[in-house]
Amino acid sequence: MTASLQSLVVGTLTLNPAFDPDTLSYTADTTNATSKVTATPARSGATVTILNGETPVQSGGTVTWSEGENTLTVTVENGTTKRVYTVTVNKGAAG
């Protein structure tokens, strides 16, 4: 069984590198206060858990960024298989 994401979208942020199901670590920069996070598993039946630091986020829900570095962790589980994706979001001061 495969535990991977089909897509990972963090608002309008550009993931670096571009999303690939086999790449587990990303960075993004923002001045936005919040972003909507959507994580779609590659297989139906797989579960997706999203954390912004320690705070749980629903897929399709909104994340509030703190100034500085934020760690978004997306865990995909399918049966006994598990894969963890990490996005480090750096929030700079707006304007």
Side-chain angles (χ1 to χ4, degrees):
M1 293 231 204
T2 306
S4 62
L5 288 177
Q6 176 181 314
S7 68
L8 177 60
V9 178
V10 183
T12 58
L13 307 188
T14 302
L15 296 180
N16 187 16
F19 179 76
D20 180 295
D22 295 323
T23 302
L24 300 180
S25 187
Y26 300 90
T27 60
D29 295 314
T30 189
T31 55
N32 298 340
T34 62
S35 295
K36 181 177 167 180
V37 178
T38 306
T40 306
R43 302 237 187 243
S44 64
T47 58
V48 176
T49 306
I50 305 171
L51 293 175
N52 178 24
E54 301 286 316
T55 307
V57 180
Q58 293 292 323
S59 182
T62 301
V63 174
T64 300
W65 306 120
S66 301
E67 196 156 317
E69 195 171 279
N70 297 265
T71 303
L72 197 63
T73 309
V74 181
T75 305
V76 184
E77 293 184 71
N78 191 2
T80 57
T81 309
K82 181 163 122 176
R83 184 176 275 188
V84 179
Y85 295 83
T86 304
V87 183
T88 301
V89 178
N90 297 298
K91 180 181 186 275

